[in-house]
Amino acid sequence: MKVAKFGGSSVADANQFRKVKQIIEADPDRQIVVVSAAGKSASERIKVTDLLIEMERAINDGDDFSKLFSKISSRILKIRDDLNLKLDIEADLNEVAKHLNGCSHDYLISRGEYLTGKMMAEFLGYYFVDAKDILIFDGDNLNYELSRQKLLTILQKHQNILVPGFYGSNEDGSIHLMPRGGSDITGAILANLVDAQLYENWTDVSGILMADPRIVDHSKKIDVLTYEELQELSYMGVGVFQEEAVRPVRQKNIPTEILNTNCPSAGGTLVVSKEKHLNNNIVTGIAGKKNYIVITIKKYRLSKHLEVLQKVLAVFQKQHISIDSTPSGNDGFSFLCQRGDVGDKLKLIIQELKSNCGVDAVNVRENIALVAAVSLKLSSRPAIAGRILNYLDESLIKVKFVFQDGSDIKVVFGVNNEDYEKTIEKIYHESINSIAQKISA
């Protein structure tokens, strides 16, 4: 049994629906299908989910939201009519309309997946399963055992099912929304629950590329990578696969394939367990993010003053700022946070660090980009990191810092924002052309 998830671009209009049907009918093992809400298309430049968010904002502000609801309804009805479906989707739209005033955020924002799923189930001839009836959450955690029981009970009666992504339900029956991009998570969870032989994630790209194609022309596709590598690349900004969707399939060592709805014959990227890793590249992938602030605290014999670090961490926690951290010498520690998270709080943070934490000094560097080279081989071949550093030095790229985290499969280089693209290009081209030849096993 395979689980196939289709993202918003794959279900954006009737033509995309037809592509999905061709894919499903090509393999009878694709018995569980998951869909996102209708996304952007050539004629529709706004995702249905974004329209729902905009409508919720209008409702909360007391503004007229009728035009937005009409736009959503027209979009859904057009897909239905273009496919010549006999589905009474008007009844579902009327049900949503009745709940607009006073409904929960989670209910409203999940309706894009619900409505798209109803139409796709009808089009495929699959049995529609409302996600709230099988994916039961206790707080933020899925009740796997209860959810598995509910799903298997349905599969005993229906061989092929369609489940809308992005939501489930709380124990009281209310809708529970997952993080944005949650349809990836839904598909991964369902694959876990049925011990699927393969989880297919259909998007608008033919797998994951080694580097951002906006930076590196004709970047090579990654044919095979491990769950660990995918998780690190997702964390560093590769947006093809939701980071939180890795865990459910990784727990069961279920292979995951990232494929292109618009070009199924092109193949994709296969994600496998470490034991089955087949990739011979020295560097698997390169990813990064711009606009970091690096705040370094100095304290003589800092390792003997853990209470200082506790106070520093409390400052960031108080301001609700997510951080990465790394040692920067015996007497220093650096904290990395994104500019957007800090906002206008930087002066306040620095003041609190200097006044209340018992540090000797606070240094700040802004406009820093992080570039990560990810490879399973980094743990056994540390010379790779040094070779990359030499390449960057030869290109006159000023590297502010380098760190390799506890996973041992990712090395991160801190550079100025203006050197971000150049750094990725250099690592990519040298990885392709030189590293395999210059570093001995």
Side-chain angles (χ1 to χ4, degrees):
M1 179 184 293
K2 297 178 182 178
V3 176
K5 173 263 173 181
F6 293 87
S9 63
S10 300
V11 293
D13 56 31
N15 189 47
Q16 293 300 97
F17 268 58
R18 295 184 184 100
K19 292 178 183 178
V20 170
K21 189 171 185 176
Q22 287 183 335
I23 290 168
I24 296 302
E25 291 181 342
D27 188 345
D29 288 337
R30 293 173 176 136
Q31 294 175 242
I32 300 178
V33 176
V34 178
V35 295
S36 298
K40 295 179 182 179
S41 69
S43 59
E44 299 286 351
R45 305 312 300 165
I46 304 178
K47 301 176 182 179
V48 167
T49 298
D50 289 335
L51 288 171
L52 287 164
I53 292 171
E54 191 177 342
M55 186 169 69
E56 181 184 46
R57 191 177 299 119
I59 293 170
N60 292 338
D61 291 343
D63 297 334
D64 181 17
F65 57 85
S66 59
K67 289 183 179 180
L68 284 166
F69 185 71
S70 178
K71 188 171 185 178
I72 293 167
S73 299
S74 297
R75 176 113 183 249
I76 297 298
L77 290 169
K78 178 172 173 51
I79 294 174
R80 192 271 312 266
D81 294 342
D82 286 349
L83 294 172
N84 295 315
L85 299 177
K86 303 304 181 184
L87 180 68
D88 182 15
I89 201 71
E90 288 93 345
D92 295 294
L93 288 165
N94 290 336
E95 186 68 19
V96 173
K98 286 195 301 186
H99 291 86
L100 286 179
N101 286 306
C103 71
S104 70
H105 166 82
D106 287 16
Y107 170 83
L108 180 57
I109 306 306
S110 69
R111 294 307 86 186
E113 276 73 15
Y114 176 83
L115 294 166
T116 305
K118 289 290 288 284
M119 293 189 295
M120 183 62 79
E122 181 74 12
F123 187 55
L124 294 177
Y126 274 38
Y127 181 73
F128 177 79
V129 179
D130 194 343
K132 73 177 181 61
D133 295 331
I134 56 171
L135 299 181
I136 314 302
F137 286 83
D138 178 9
D140 289 331
N141 299 312
L142 181 77
N143 185 328
Y144 271 83
E145 189 54 40
L146 179 58
S147 299
R148 181 177 291 107
Q149 292 173 7
K150 289 181 174 292
L151 176 59
L152 294 180
T153 298
I154 290 173
L155 287 172
Q156 287 174 357
K157 300 178 181 178
H158 304 279
Q159 183 178 11
N160 300 317
I161 66 172
L162 185 137
V163 184
F166 196 25
Y167 72 94
S169 67
N170 300 305
E171 292 179 327
D172 63 2
S174 60
I175 297 296
H176 176 97
L177 204 63
M178 298 179 192
R180 194 73 188 261
S183 294
D184 286 356
I185 304 173
T186 300
I189 288 172
L190 293 175
N192 177 296
L193 296 180
V194 300
D195 294 309
Q197 68 186 87
L198 180 68
Y199 172 39
E200 295 179 334
N201 193 290
W202 293 87
T203 67
D204 56 0
V205 295
S206 300
I208 300 174
L209 301 180
M210 277 189 65
D212 189 334
R214 295 168 296 185
I215 299 173
V216 177
D217 288 337
H218 308 296
S219 174
K220 286 182 64 177
K221 182 180 69 177
I222 303 172
D223 292 322
V224 183
L225 77 165
T226 64
Y227 300 118
E228 293 90 343
E229 291 169 320
L230 175 60
Q231 199 147 17
E232 294 293 356
L233 288 170
S234 297
Y235 178 76
M236 289 304 297
V238 173
V240 174
F241 197 76
Q242 229 286 355
E243 183 187 352
E244 294 183 37
V246 175
R247 185 180 178 187
V249 285
R250 183 177 176 181
Q251 284 178 336
K252 295 284 189 72
N253 284 334
I254 297 169
T256 297
E257 193 161 17
I258 299 166
L259 299 154
N260 190 344
T261 303
N262 300 314
C263 191
S265 61
T269 296
L270 183 67
V271 189
V272 296
S273 65
K274 185 174 181 178
E275 292 76 16
K276 297 178 181 179
H277 184 50
L278 303 174
N279 195 339
N280 292 320
N281 292 335
I282 297 296
V283 174
T284 302
I286 307 151
K289 299 176 184 177
K290 281 185 175 182
N291 299 318
Y292 274 87
I293 296 173
V294 182
I295 301 174
T296 302
I297 61 166
K298 296 289 185 178
K299 174 72 177 179
Y300 178 63
R301 301 186 73 189
L302 180 59
S303 61
K304 303 295 184 182
H305 295 279
L306 295 180
E307 75 283 356
V308 172
L309 285 177
Q310 290 174 336
K311 290 178 181 178
V312 170
L313 290 171
V315 170
F316 290 106
Q317 185 177 23
K318 178 182 175 182
Q319 300 299 332
H320 306 289
I321 294 173
S322 299
I323 57 170
D324 288 321
S325 58
T326 179
S328 55
N330 293 331
D331 301 330
F333 217 90
S334 293
F335 298 88
L336 291 73
C337 35
Q338 290 192 288
R339 173 81 255 188
D341 292 340
V342 175
D344 58 358
K345 301 173 184 176
L346 183 57
K347 288 185 179 179
L348 175 62
I349 291 169
I350 295 171
Q351 182 179 346
E352 287 201 35
L353 291 175
K354 289 180 176 179
S355 303
N356 304 326
C357 297
V359 300
D360 296 336
V362 178
N363 299 322
V364 178
R365 285 179 290 186
E366 298 189 61
N367 301 315
I368 296 295
L370 302 185
V371 177
V374 175
S375 172
L376 204 66
K377 295 179 176 65
L378 280 167
S379 59
S380 59
R381 302 175 72 174
I384 293 173
R387 180 68 68 178
I388 294 173
L389 192 59
N390 285 339
Y391 292 146
L392 298 180
D393 183 57
E394 291 167 2
S395 299
L396 302 180
I397 295 173
K398 295 181 179 179
V399 177
K400 303 298 182 181
F401 54 85
V402 182
F403 66 85
Q404 190 168 355
D405 63 13
S407 71
D408 286 333
I409 67 168
K410 177 179 72 178
V411 58
V412 179
F413 302 90
V415 299
N416 292 322
N417 271 348
E418 57 263 31
D419 288 329
Y420 174 72
E421 289 83 2
K422 185 179 179 182
T423 301
I424 289 178
E425 284 184 300
K426 189 64 179 177
I427 295 175
Y428 174 84
H429 289 299
E430 294 296 346
S431 299
I432 295 297
N433 299 327
S434 303
I435 290 182
Q437 291 78 29
K438 293 184 179 180
I439 301 179
S440 60

